[in-house]
């Protein structure tokens, strides 16, 4: 998945978690899984951004 794919997926998860209807109606396990996915994606995006900055410096 390219960088744009990561951003799109992170945006989609953020929209879900920002939707009160989703958060209030979805089982706790589903919400927790989405939060875990979001945290993982954010970590990957941070790492990829740092790697891109390192490459730019070469």
């Amino acid at each position: 998945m390219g960088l744009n794919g990561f951003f799109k997926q992170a945006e989609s998860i953020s929209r879900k978690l920002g939707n009160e209807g989703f958060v209030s109606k979805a089982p706790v396990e589903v919400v927790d899984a989405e939060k875990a996915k979001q945290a993982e994606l954010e970590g990957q995006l941070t790492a990829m951004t740092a790697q891109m900055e390192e490459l730019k410096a070469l």
Side-chain angles (χ1 to χ4, degrees):
M1 179 182 316
L3 191 57
N4 283 341
F6 278 104
F7 281 119
K8 286 181 182 179
Q9 191 172 3
E11 183 179 313
S12 173
I13 292 170
S14 290
R15 276 196 311 268
K16 273 187 195 177
L17 293 175
N19 180 339
E20 281 296 319
F22 171 78
V23 174
S24 66
K25 293 178 184 177
V28 174
E29 298 83 13
V30 173
V31 175
D32 288 345
E34 291 298 315
K35 287 180 181 178
K37 280 188 222 175
Q38 184 180 39
E40 182 179 336
L41 279 173
E42 286 175 358
Q44 290 174 349
L45 285 169
T46 299
M48 289 174 76
T49 302
Q51 288 174 350
M52 288 174 59
E53 291 301 319
E54 288 177 16
L55 288 171
K56 285 180 187 178
L58 294 178

